[in-house]
Amino acid sequence: MLAAHRDGEHVLPLLMSSEEPVTKPLVANEGIKTASNFLRGTIAEDLVDQSTGAISDDNQQLTKFHGLYLQDDRDLRRERRKAKMEKAFSFMLRVRLPGGRCSPAQWKVLDQLADERANGSLRLTTRQTFQFHGILKGNLRPLIQGMHDTLLDSIAACGDVNRNVMAPPNPERSPAHAAMYDHAKGLSEHTLPKTRAYHEIWLDGEKVAGSEPEVEPLYGATYLPRKFKVGFAIPPSNDVDVYSQDLGFIGVVENGELVGYNVTVGGGLGMSHGNEATFPRLAEALGFITCDQVNAVGEAVIATQRDYGDRTNRKHARLKYTIEDRGLAWFKGEVESRSGVIFSEARAATFTTIEDPHGWHECIDGTWFYGLHILSGRIKDREGWQMKTALREVAEIHSGDFRLTPSQNLTISGVTTESKPAIEAILAKHGLDKENDRSRLRLNALSCVALPTCGLALAESERVLPEVIEKFDVILEEAGLADDAISLRMTGCPNGCARPYLAEIGFVGKAPGKYALYIGAKYNGTRLNRLVSPKCTIDEAVEMLRPVIKKYAAEREEGEEFGDFCHRAVLPEDATFHSIGSGLRV
Ligand code: SRM
Ligand code: SF4
């Protein structure tokens, strides 16, 4: 029996796990979406209100669909409250950039917009795109128009829709990589919302005269119950963390050709501390499809979640809970009947790594790419460290393109043998080439943004990551493990933006200066880690893991990775994701 989701309806009879429809009140966001006239709300009116740097609560929910979040500088909250001033409001904008690909011309525009319309920095995200921070309300339209002029937009970068689609960042590596990029971009475009609200509000301000009433054929007027994420991966690299995605496509390559995909569904990482009804979950396989079936299957998966996802509780609204509640077999049947595609048995596909390639690599087309490590993806000029300037200089002479990686790093791609020395010279002049010589712990580390811009942060992340890495680097050096790749990821809250539950060492913010500590995920992103401390300081975590690292150095088996060792020899058998069990075996 199908849940009655129709455009514009406000209360939906829901089918929960029983056969009987249950009527529960919908969450407020559903009413906001319904009343928004396809995501317009009163955003245009709020933009001209000069009495505040903010916008209304309802419009804050709607601007997300346009790639924008209202934020405030949390470092300034106390002093502004004392001075009876409103919060230091500004906006974050996230660009839509399927597969993380952008041209040098686009880079130069984004670089300039960051200086003129935002806080002077660019942030590469864990889903391969750019974020601007610190945009004042009056700068929103000029910034979006500047992006539009260089053929970039922020449509559906956030909100209850299919977000930025991820794909391996180096299409020139093989014909299979190139084909996969096209499929990822195609699916991103296929699932874009159709509303003209973005163009009307941010670009031309014009309503299209005499046009038909708007329809959202895929989403309907209430869009999805929650955000939705898609990733494409190509073994042996699981760089996109495909099992953390709502919908994953794992490329199957035979005789050098991409013949199709193993489709996975139901991944997702967000949870809330102390609420065991929320949890990270790895995606499961539905089966194999051919390349021409990607859009049909993608659309059917999204439509099924649109109709059955829980619109009464946003903490239970992701696809992972729909599948957890109703079962994979039911979900597969629903997708098959909607798409007309029958899944065949999933084919063999083995992941060995999540690591980005660093330095120079030659591609099959005779060009080169350079993988550049950028800690936490933050591109900014500082005293004595001109990373933003250096990358602008590269963009000025580069004839290939840039690829943003899922690990917040950058690939300078499509470099000819002739232009390689000039790029090398720029990187060397600014010392950027040295970035790749850092410890492998640092090269693999991720952190979310957290303070001061993220309104949900419970603790620091990006700003303390260098300190955390330094502390672990000392221990690794002492243990003779300086060259070992160990994944360490940190977030300021349990939402999981830097995918910390898939790290061999995961820090998850709980309170100022305090973190929940997790260890033992599999390095290739196919097993979640487990809790080892519900609340500790960074120093306490370092002391707790010092003997674990030493034991690893002394007792690991040939080729055994740190996460696997923790899983086998250190974590107690009764440890679970939510419970520390009977204590570490050290
Ligand atoms: Fe995220 C919310 C930053 C990737 C799970 N995320 C946020 C917000 C917008 C905070 C907010 O809602 O007010 C953060 C903005 C901080 C800031 O100041 O910029 C934020 N998320 C990020 C980024 C920038 C982290 C980074 O440092 O790179 C990543 C942007 C990705 C992109 O380009 O689209 C980012 N977020 C993720 C990921 C990782 C991924 O998708 O691969 C996850 C975990 C995977 C998942 O979705 O399950 C993630 N973000 C969340 C959640 C929890 C969702 C849930 O199901 O519970 C929230 C909160 C929410 O949605 O209510 C959130
Ligand atoms: Fe903010 Fe939490 Fe995401 Fe970090 S994990 S960016 S603190 S929502």
Side-chain angles (χ1 to χ4, degrees), residues 397-465:
I397 61 156
H398 183 35
S399 55
D401 55 22
F402 293 100
R403 310 289 165 80
L404 280 53
T405 83
S407 293
Q408 304 172 323
N409 294 318
L410 182 67
T411 302
I412 305 167
S413 204
V415 179
T416 59
T417 306
E418 298 72 49
S419 54
K420 226 176 129 209
I423 290 180
E424 268 165 1
I426 296 173
L427 297 175
K429 180 175 86 179
H430 294 281
L432 261 61
D433 53 341
K434 303 280 180 304
E435 277 304 279
N436 287 346
D437 298 338
R438 307 295 199 106
S439 71
R440 277 180 85 190
L441 182 81
R442 184 179 165 116
L443 296 185
N444 271 318
L446 300 184
S447 80
C448 73
V449 180
L451 293 161
T453 52
C454 179
L456 306 178
L458 304 171
E460 294 281 356
S461 179
E462 183 181 323
R463 295 196 293 198
V464 295
L465 183 68

Coordinates of all heavy atoms in Angstrom, one line a residue, residues 397-465:
I397 N 47.5 30.2 -15.2 CA 48.3 29.6 -16.3 C 47.8 28.2 -16.7 O 48.3 27.7 -17.7 CB 49.8 29.6 -16.0 CG1 50.0 28.7 -14.7 CG2 50.4 30.9 -15.8 CD1 51.4 28.1 -14.7
H398 N 46.9 27.7 -15.9 CA 46.5 26.3 -16.1 C 45.5 26.1 -17.2 O 44.5 26.9 -17.3 CB 45.9 25.8 -14.8 CG 45.5 24.4 -14.7 ND1 46.2 23.4 -15.4 CD2 44.5 23.7 -14.1 CE1 45.7 22.2 -15.1 NE2 44.6 22.4 -14.4
S399 N 45.8 25.1 -18.1 CA 44.8 24.9 -19.2 C 44.0 23.7 -19.0 O 43.1 23.4 -19.8 CB 45.6 24.8 -20.5 OG 46.6 23.7 -20.4
G400 N 44.2 22.9 -18.0 CA 43.3 21.7 -17.7 C 42.2 22.2 -16.8 O 41.6 23.2 -17.0
D401 N 41.9 21.4 -15.7 CA 40.9 21.8 -14.8 C 41.3 21.4 -13.3 O 42.4 20.9 -13.1 CB 39.5 21.4 -15.1 CG 39.4 19.9 -15.3 OD1 40.2 19.2 -14.8 OD2 38.4 19.5 -16.0
F402 N 40.4 21.8 -12.4 CA 40.6 21.4 -11.0 C 39.6 20.4 -10.6 O 38.5 20.5 -11.1 CB 40.5 22.7 -10.1 CG 41.5 23.7 -10.3 CD1 41.3 24.8 -11.1 CD2 42.8 23.6 -9.7 CE1 42.3 25.8 -11.3 CE2 43.8 24.6 -9.9 CZ 43.5 25.7 -10.7
R403 N 40.0 19.5 -9.7 CA 39.0 18.5 -9.2 C 39.2 18.6 -7.7 O 40.3 18.4 -7.1 CB 39.4 17.1 -9.6 CG 39.6 16.9 -11.1 CD 38.2 17.1 -11.9 NE 38.5 17.3 -13.3 CZ 38.8 16.3 -14.1 NH1 38.9 15.1 -13.7 NH2 39.0 16.6 -15.4
L404 N 38.0 18.8 -7.0 CA 38.0 18.8 -5.6 C 37.8 17.3 -5.1 O 36.9 16.6 -5.7 CB 36.9 19.7 -5.0 CG 37.2 21.2 -5.0 CD1 37.6 21.7 -6.4 CD2 36.0 21.9 -4.6
T405 N 38.5 16.9 -4.1 CA 38.4 15.5 -3.7 C 37.5 15.3 -2.5 O 37.2 16.3 -1.8 CB 39.8 14.8 -3.4 OG1 40.1 15.2 -2.0 CG2 40.9 15.3 -4.3
P406 N 37.0 14.1 -2.3 CA 36.1 13.9 -1.1 C 36.8 14.0 0.2 O 36.2 14.0 1.3 CB 35.6 12.4 -1.3 CG 35.9 12.1 -2.8 CD 37.1 12.9 -3.1
S407 N 38.2 14.1 0.2 CA 38.9 14.3 1.4 C 39.4 15.7 1.5 O 40.5 16.0 2.1 CB 40.1 13.3 1.4 OG 39.6 12.0 1.5
Q408 N 38.7 16.7 1.0 CA 39.0 18.1 1.1 C 40.3 18.5 0.5 O 40.9 19.5 0.9 CB 38.9 18.5 2.6 CG 37.6 18.1 3.3 CD 37.7 18.3 4.8 OE1 38.7 18.1 5.4 NE2 36.6 18.8 5.4
N409 N 40.8 17.7 -0.4 CA 42.0 18.0 -1.1 C 41.7 18.5 -2.5 O 40.6 18.5 -3.0 CB 43.0 16.8 -1.2 CG 43.4 16.4 0.2 OD1 43.7 17.3 1.0 ND2 43.4 15.1 0.5
L410 N 42.8 18.9 -3.2 CA 42.7 19.4 -4.6 C 43.5 18.7 -5.6 O 44.7 18.3 -5.3 CB 43.1 20.9 -4.5 CG 43.0 21.6 -5.9 CD1 41.5 21.8 -6.2 CD2 43.6 23.0 -5.8
T411 N 43.0 18.5 -6.7 CA 43.7 17.9 -7.8 C 43.8 18.9 -8.9 O 42.8 19.4 -9.4 CB 43.0 16.6 -8.4 OG1 42.9 15.7 -7.3 CG2 43.9 15.9 -9.4
I412 N 45.1 19.2 -9.4 CA 45.3 20.0 -10.5 C 45.4 19.1 -11.7 O 46.4 18.3 -11.8 CB 46.5 20.9 -10.3 CG1 46.5 21.7 -9.0 CG2 46.7 21.8 -11.5 CD1 47.8 22.3 -8.6
S413 N 44.4 19.1 -12.6 CA 44.2 18.0 -13.5 C 44.4 18.4 -14.9 O 44.2 19.6 -15.3 CB 42.8 17.5 -13.3 OG 42.6 16.2 -13.6
G414 N 44.8 17.4 -15.8 CA 44.9 17.8 -17.2 C 46.1 18.6 -17.5 O 46.0 19.5 -18.4
V415 N 47.2 18.4 -16.8 CA 48.4 19.2 -17.0 C 49.3 18.6 -18.1 O 49.6 17.4 -18.0 CB 49.2 19.3 -15.7 CG1 50.5 20.1 -15.8 CG2 48.4 19.8 -14.5
T416 N 49.7 19.4 -19.1 CA 50.5 18.9 -20.1 C 51.9 18.8 -19.6 O 52.3 19.5 -18.7 CB 50.5 19.8 -21.4 OG1 50.9 21.1 -21.0 CG2 49.1 19.9 -22.0
T417 N 52.7 17.9 -20.3 CA 54.1 17.8 -19.9 C 54.8 19.1 -20.0 O 55.7 19.5 -19.2 CB 54.8 16.7 -20.8 OG1 54.0 15.5 -20.8 CG2 56.2 16.4 -20.4
E418 N 54.5 19.9 -21.0 CA 55.1 21.2 -21.2 C 54.8 22.2 -20.1 O 55.6 23.0 -19.7 CB 54.7 21.9 -22.6 CG 55.0 21.1 -23.8 CD 54.2 19.8 -24.0 OE1 52.9 19.9 -23.9 OE2 54.8 18.7 -24.2
S419 N 53.5 22.2 -19.6 CA 53.2 23.2 -18.6 C 53.5 22.7 -17.2 O 53.3 23.5 -16.2 CB 51.7 23.6 -18.7 OG 50.9 22.5 -18.7
K420 N 53.9 21.5 -17.0 CA 54.2 21.0 -15.7 C 55.2 21.8 -14.9 O 55.0 22.2 -13.8 CB 54.8 19.5 -15.8 CG 54.2 18.5 -14.9 CD 54.7 17.2 -15.2 CE 55.3 16.5 -14.0 NZ 56.3 15.6 -14.1
P421 N 56.4 22.2 -15.6 CA 57.4 23.0 -14.8 C 56.9 24.3 -14.3 O 57.2 24.7 -13.2 CB 58.5 23.2 -15.9 CG 58.3 22.1 -16.9 CD 56.8 21.8 -16.9
A422 N 56.0 25.0 -15.0 CA 55.5 26.3 -14.6 C 54.6 26.1 -13.3 O 54.7 26.9 -12.4 CB 54.7 26.9 -15.7
I423 N 53.8 25.0 -13.3 CA 53.0 24.8 -12.2 C 53.8 24.4 -11.0 O 53.6 24.9 -9.8 CB 51.9 23.7 -12.5 CG1 50.9 24.4 -13.5 CG2 51.2 23.2 -11.2 CD1 49.8 23.5 -13.9
E424 N 54.8 23.5 -11.2 CA 55.7 23.1 -10.2 C 56.4 24.4 -9.6 O 56.6 24.5 -8.3 CB 56.8 22.2 -10.7 CG 56.5 20.8 -10.6 CD 57.4 19.9 -11.5 OE1 58.3 20.4 -12.2 OE2 57.1 18.7 -11.5
A425 N 56.8 25.3 -10.4 CA 57.5 26.5 -9.9 C 56.6 27.3 -9.0 O 57.0 27.8 -8.0 CB 58.0 27.3 -11.1
I426 N 55.3 27.5 -9.4 CA 54.4 28.2 -8.5 C 54.2 27.5 -7.2 O 54.3 28.2 -6.1 CB 53.0 28.4 -9.2 CG1 53.2 29.2 -10.5 CG2 52.0 29.1 -8.2 CD1 51.9 29.3 -11.3
L427 N 54.0 26.2 -7.2 CA 53.8 25.5 -6.0 C 55.1 25.6 -5.1 O 55.0 25.8 -3.9 CB 53.5 24.0 -6.2 CG 52.2 23.7 -7.0 CD1 52.1 22.3 -7.3 CD2 51.0 24.2 -6.2
A428 N 56.3 25.5 -5.7 CA 57.5 25.6 -4.9 C 57.7 27.0 -4.4 O 58.1 27.2 -3.2 CB 58.7 25.2 -5.8
K429 N 57.4 28.0 -5.2 CA 57.6 29.4 -4.7 C 56.8 29.7 -3.5 O 57.3 30.4 -2.6 CB 57.1 30.4 -5.9 CG 57.3 31.8 -5.5 CD 56.9 32.7 -6.7 CE 55.4 33.0 -6.7 NZ 55.0 33.9 -7.8
H430 N 55.7 29.1 -3.3 CA 54.8 29.4 -2.2 C 54.9 28.2 -1.1 O 54.2 28.3 -0.1 CB 53.4 29.5 -2.6 CG 53.1 30.8 -3.4 ND1 53.0 32.0 -2.8 CD2 53.0 31.0 -4.7 CE1 52.8 32.9 -3.8 NE2 52.8 32.3 -5.0
G431 N 55.8 27.3 -1.4 CA 56.0 26.2 -0.4 C 54.9 25.2 -0.4 O 54.8 24.3 0.5
L432 N 54.0 25.2 -1.3 CA 52.9 24.3 -1.3 C 53.3 22.8 -1.6 O 52.7 21.9 -1.1 CB 51.8 24.7 -2.3 CG 50.6 25.4 -1.8 CD1 51.0 26.8 -1.1 CD2 49.6 25.7 -2.9
D433 N 54.4 22.7 -2.3 CA 54.9 21.3 -2.6 C 55.3 20.6 -1.3 O 55.2 19.4 -1.2 CB 56.1 21.4 -3.6 CG 57.2 22.3 -3.1 OD1 56.9 23.2 -2.2 OD2 58.3 22.2 -3.6
K434 N 55.6 21.4 -0.3 CA 56.0 20.7 1.0 C 54.8 20.1 1.7 O 55.0 19.3 2.6 CB 56.7 21.8 1.9 CG 57.9 22.5 1.4 CD 59.1 21.6 1.5 CE 60.4 22.2 1.0 NZ 60.3 22.7 -0.4
E435 N 53.6 20.6 1.4 CA 52.4 20.1 2.1 C 52.3 18.6 1.9 O 51.8 17.9 2.8 CB 51.2 20.8 1.5 CG 50.9 22.1 2.1 CD 50.7 22.1 3.6 OE1 49.7 21.7 4.1 OE2 51.7 22.4 4.3
N436 N 52.7 18.1 0.8 CA 52.5 16.7 0.5 C 53.6 15.8 1.2 O 53.5 14.6 1.3 CB 52.6 16.4 -1.0 CG 51.4 16.8 -1.7 OD1 50.3 17.1 -1.1 ND2 51.4 16.9 -3.0
D437 N 54.6 16.5 1.8 CA 55.6 15.8 2.5 C 55.3 15.5 4.0 O 56.1 15.0 4.8 CB 57.0 16.5 2.5 CG 57.5 16.7 1.1 OD1 57.0 15.9 0.2 OD2 58.2 17.6 0.8
R438 N 54.1 16.0 4.4 CA 53.7 15.8 5.8 C 53.4 14.4 6.1 O 53.4 13.5 5.2 CB 52.5 16.7 6.1 CG 52.6 18.1 5.7 CD 53.6 18.8 6.6 NE 53.4 20.3 6.5 CZ 52.9 21.0 7.5 NH1 52.6 20.4 8.6 NH2 52.7 22.3 7.4
S439 N 53.2 14.1 7.4 CA 52.9 12.7 7.8 C 51.7 12.2 7.1 O 50.8 12.9 6.8 CB 52.7 12.6 9.3 OG 51.4 13.2 9.7
R440 N 51.6 10.9 6.9 CA 50.4 10.3 6.3 C 49.2 10.4 7.1 O 48.1 10.5 6.6 CB 50.7 8.8 5.9 CG 51.5 8.8 4.5 CD 51.7 7.4 4.1 NE 50.6 6.8 3.3 CZ 50.6 5.5 3.0 NH1 51.5 4.7 3.4 NH2 49.5 5.1 2.3
L441 N 49.4 10.5 8.4 CA 48.2 10.8 9.3 C 47.6 12.1 8.9 O 46.4 12.2 8.8 CB 48.7 10.8 10.8 CG 47.6 11.1 11.8 CD1 46.9 9.7 12.1 CD2 48.1 11.7 13.1
R442 N 48.5 13.1 8.7 CA 48.0 14.4 8.4 C 47.3 14.4 7.0 O 46.3 15.0 6.7 CB 49.1 15.4 8.4 CG 48.7 16.9 8.2 CD 49.8 17.8 8.3 NE 49.6 19.1 7.7 CZ 49.5 20.2 8.4 NH1 49.7 20.3 9.7 NH2 49.2 21.4 7.8
L443 N 48.0 13.7 6.0 CA 47.5 13.7 4.7 C 46.1 13.1 4.6 O 45.3 13.4 3.7 CB 48.4 12.9 3.8 CG 49.8 13.5 3.6 CD1 50.6 12.7 2.5 CD2 49.8 15.0 3.1
N444 N 45.8 12.1 5.5 CA 44.5 11.4 5.5 C 43.5 12.1 6.4 O 42.3 11.7 6.3 CB 44.7 10.0 6.0 CG 45.1 9.1 4.9 OD1 44.5 9.1 3.8 ND2 46.0 8.2 5.2
A445 N 43.9 13.1 7.2 CA 43.0 13.6 8.2 C 41.9 14.5 7.6 O 42.1 15.2 6.7 CB 43.8 14.4 9.3
L446 N 40.7 14.4 8.2 CA 39.6 15.3 7.8 C 39.1 15.9 9.1 O 39.0 15.4 10.1 CB 38.5 14.5 7.2 CG 38.7 13.6 6.0 CD1 37.4 13.0 5.5 CD2 39.3 14.5 4.9
S447 N 38.6 17.2 8.9 CA 37.8 17.8 9.9 C 36.6 18.5 9.3 O 36.8 19.0 8.2 CB 38.6 18.7 10.8 OG 38.8 19.9 10.1
C448 N 35.6 18.6 10.1 CA 34.5 19.5 9.6 C 34.8 20.9 10.0 O 35.8 21.2 10.6 CB 33.2 19.0 10.2 SG 33.1 19.5 12.0
V449 N 33.9 21.8 9.5 CA 34.1 23.3 9.8 C 34.0 23.6 11.3 O 34.9 24.3 11.9 CB 33.1 24.1 9.0 CG1 33.3 25.6 9.2 CG2 33.2 23.8 7.5
A450 N 32.9 23.2 11.9 CA 32.6 23.5 13.3 C 32.7 25.0 13.6 O 32.2 25.9 12.8 CB 33.4 22.7 14.2
L451 N 33.3 25.4 14.7 CA 33.3 26.8 15.2 C 34.3 27.6 14.3 O 35.2 27.1 13.8 CB 33.8 26.9 16.6 CG 32.7 26.3 17.6 CD1 33.4 25.9 18.9 CD2 31.6 27.2 17.8
P452 N 34.0 28.9 14.0 CA 32.9 29.7 14.6 C 31.6 29.8 13.8 O 30.7 30.4 14.3 CB 33.6 31.1 14.7 CG 34.4 31.1 13.4 CD 34.9 29.7 13.2
T453 N 31.6 29.1 12.6 CA 30.4 29.4 11.8 C 29.3 28.4 12.0 O 28.1 28.8 11.8 CB 30.8 29.4 10.3 OG1 31.5 28.2 10.0 CG2 31.6 30.6 9.9
C454 N 29.6 27.2 12.3 CA 28.5 26.1 12.3 C 27.7 26.3 13.6 O 28.2 26.2 14.7 CB 29.1 24.7 12.3 SG 27.8 23.5 12.3
G455 N 26.4 26.5 13.4 CA 25.5 26.7 14.5 C 25.3 25.5 15.3 O 24.7 25.5 16.4
L456 N 25.7 24.3 14.8 CA 25.4 23.0 15.5 C 26.6 22.5 16.3 O 26.5 21.5 17.0 CB 24.9 22.0 14.5 CG 23.7 22.4 13.6 CD1 23.4 21.2 12.7 CD2 22.5 22.7 14.5
A457 N 27.8 23.2 16.1 CA 29.0 22.7 16.7 C 28.9 22.7 18.2 O 28.5 23.7 18.9 CB 30.2 23.5 16.3
L458 N 29.3 21.6 18.9 CA 29.4 21.5 20.3 C 30.8 21.7 20.8 O 31.1 21.9 22.0 CB 28.9 20.1 20.8 CG 27.5 19.7 20.3 CD1 27.2 18.2 20.6 CD2 26.4 20.6 21.0
A459 N 31.8 21.5 19.9 CA 33.2 21.6 20.2 C 33.9 22.1 18.9 O 33.4 22.0 17.8 CB 33.7 20.3 20.7
E460 N 35.2 22.4 19.1 CA 36.0 22.8 18.0 C 36.4 21.6 17.1 O 36.4 20.5 17.6 CB 37.4 23.4 18.5 CG 37.3 24.7 19.3 CD 37.1 25.9 18.4 OE1 37.2 25.8 17.1 OE2 37.0 27.0 18.9
S461 N 36.6 21.9 15.8 CA 37.1 20.8 15.0 C 38.2 21.3 14.1 O 39.4 21.1 14.3 CB 35.9 20.2 14.2 OG 36.4 19.2 13.3
E462 N 37.9 22.1 13.0 CA 38.9 22.5 12.1 C 40.0 23.3 12.8 O 41.2 23.1 12.5 CB 38.3 23.4 11.0 CG 39.2 23.9 10.0 CD 38.6 24.8 8.9 OE1 37.4 24.6 8.6 OE2 39.3 25.8 8.5
R463 N 39.7 24.1 13.8 CA 40.7 24.9 14.4 C 41.6 24.1 15.3 O 42.7 24.6 15.7 CB 40.0 26.1 15.1 CG 39.3 27.0 14.2 CD 39.0 28.4 14.8 NE 38.0 28.3 15.9 CZ 37.3 29.4 16.3 NH1 37.5 30.6 15.7 NH2 36.4 29.3 17.2
V464 N 41.2 23.0 15.8 CA 42.1 22.2 16.7 C 42.7 21.0 16.0 O 43.6 20.4 16.5 CB 41.4 21.7 18.0 CG1 41.0 22.8 18.9 CG2 40.2 20.7 17.7
L465 N 42.3 20.7 14.7 CA 42.9 19.5 14.1 C 44.4 19.6 14.0 O 45.0 18.5 14.3 CB 42.2 19.4 12.7 CG 42.7 18.1 11.9 CD1 42.2 16.8 12.6 CD2 42.3 18.1 10.5

